[in-house]
Amino acid sequence: MNKRIGFIGCGKMGEAILEGILLAEVISPDRIMVSTASMGSMTKITTKHKVKGTIDNAEVAAFADILFLGIQPAMHKQVLEEVKDHVKGSTVIITMAAGINISLIENSFERKVKVVRTMPNTPSLVGEGLTAISLNDEITDDDIAAVTALLNSFGKTEILHEDLMDAVPAISGSSPAYVYMFIEALADGGVRDGIPRKQAYRMAAQAVLGAAKMVLETERHPAALKDDVCTPGGSTIAAVAALEEAQLRSGVLRAMKACTDKTKGIGQ
């Protein structure tokens, strides 16, 4: 890719995307520039990833053809005020923060700008990310191709209407945290029954990975795949029944609603 990529802010999510892009080798490090709040963090990022760095947000804005805003929701208005006169008309601005809608970005400029609202997740770091995206009216087919090529380099993308974006953190942005809790619980159960801790984590994580691939690659209903494992009168159906008694699914749905409600609150 011959685009120049900029990151304003490079926290955990921003660095996960940066590392995903670099590991996929879709663009060379010298075509990426990162701005951070301090010289210390900038030096750390540039030394580790061999990319360009600065503490001047406007410099990154002027450099970038695709500009990622890797900043907290509350910082957007301030940062956009800093960079609005430096962003080129052809630059695609990508926001990654929960609750930040397209109109907030558009209204920060006194001209038309290209905006993509995204919600990525941290598995981007290992090439298995899922990034939901919404587009404003200024985005062209060529822009879509460039942005999706970049985002697909470290996972997959789903284009959604913006009205659905506040629901995305609960199902993909935040959900890795729930899955990690499930893996930890599986491993704890294995350790309780005598399996060494490191092996228990590997076995639990591989089981979750394999189950996820079964859903994606067979395209069968998860309930049908679950039924395949449940021998009548067997140990698996006994475990499933125990999970139903513990209201596993209800608990997940409550957690997702709490996440969505919080996300909507951030944007207000």
Side-chain angles (χ1 to χ4, degrees):
M1 182 179 290
N2 61 2
K3 301 287 187 181
R4 297 194 296 183
I5 312 300
F7 287 83
I8 294 181
C10 200
K12 290 181 180 179
M13 190 67 254
E15 189 170 11
I17 290 175
L18 173 61
E19 289 195 26
I21 291 170
L22 292 173
L23 286 171
E25 298 183 342
V26 294
I27 193 165
S28 60
D30 65 348
R31 300 190 69 82
I32 300 175
M33 181 182 288
V34 174
S35 67
T36 62
S38 69
M39 285 295 297
S41 57
M42 187 267 286
T43 301
K44 181 180 177 182
I45 293 291
T46 55
T47 301
K48 180 178 180 181
H49 300 293
K50 312 303 181 188
V51 298
K52 300 177 186 294
T54 179
I55 57 171
D56 183 356
N57 292 334
E59 184 179 357
V60 175
F63 170 87
D65 300 310
I66 298 176
L67 179 64
F68 286 90
L69 301 179
I71 52 179
Q72 296 295 321
M75 295 178 61
H76 276 66
K77 290 183 179 179
Q78 173 189 331
V79 169
L80 289 168
E81 181 65 27
E82 290 177 29
V83 306
K84 67 180 185 181
D85 294 330
H86 302 275
V87 174
K88 301 186 292 288
S90 59
T91 296
V92 177
I93 303 168
I94 300 180
T95 177
M96 303 187 292
I100 298 299
N101 58 34
I102 288 172
S103 63
L104 184 148
I105 308 296
E106 292 174 330
N107 293 339
S108 298
F109 292 80
E110 297 174 353
R111 53 189 169 91
K112 292 183 177 180
V113 287
K114 299 181 176 187
V115 183
V116 176
R117 179 179 175 182
T118 71
M119 177 49 59
N121 63 10
T122 53
S124 303
L125 179 59
V126 293
E128 294 293 348
L130 188 287
T131 306
I133 63 177
S134 293
L135 317 166
N136 79 343
D137 293 338
E138 302 305 312
I139 295 293
T140 66
D141 289 343
D142 286 344
D143 295 328
I144 294 172
V147 169
T148 54
L150 198 61
L151 299 178
N152 285 338
S153 72
F154 50 81
K156 295 178 173 60
T157 54
E158 293 285 347
I159 299 178
L160 298 176
H161 192 280
E162 193 182 11
D163 289 347
L164 299 174
M165 287 296 284
D166 282 341
V168 170
I171 193 170
S172 68
S174 300
S175 63
Y178 330 151
V179 177
Y180 300 143
M181 293 174 69
F182 183 58
I183 290 171
E184 183 182 29
L186 289 174
D188 283 346
V191 171
R192 179 191 59 195
D193 294 335
I195 297 174
R197 172 68 65 180
K198 286 187 178 180
Q199 286 181 296
Y201 279 134
R202 287 198 299 269
M203 293 169 72
Q206 183 63 39
V208 171
L209 173 62
K213 290 190 73 172
M214 288 286 286
V215 173
L216 291 172
E217 295 184 8
T218 69
E219 297 187 349
R220 295 177 65 202
H221 195 289
L225 294 170
K226 179 261 295 178
D227 289 349
D228 287 348
V229 190
C230 294
T231 302
S235 56
T236 304
I237 192 62
V240 168
L243 288 172
E244 292 288 11
E245 290 172 5
Q247 299 184 320
L248 171 68
R249 284 190 277 194
S250 178
V252 170
L253 291 171
R254 289 197 302 272
M256 292 178 71
K257 185 172 189 307
C259 184
T260 299
D261 288 347
K262 183 68 173 180
T263 299
K264 290 180 177 178
I266 291 171
Q268 294 175 354

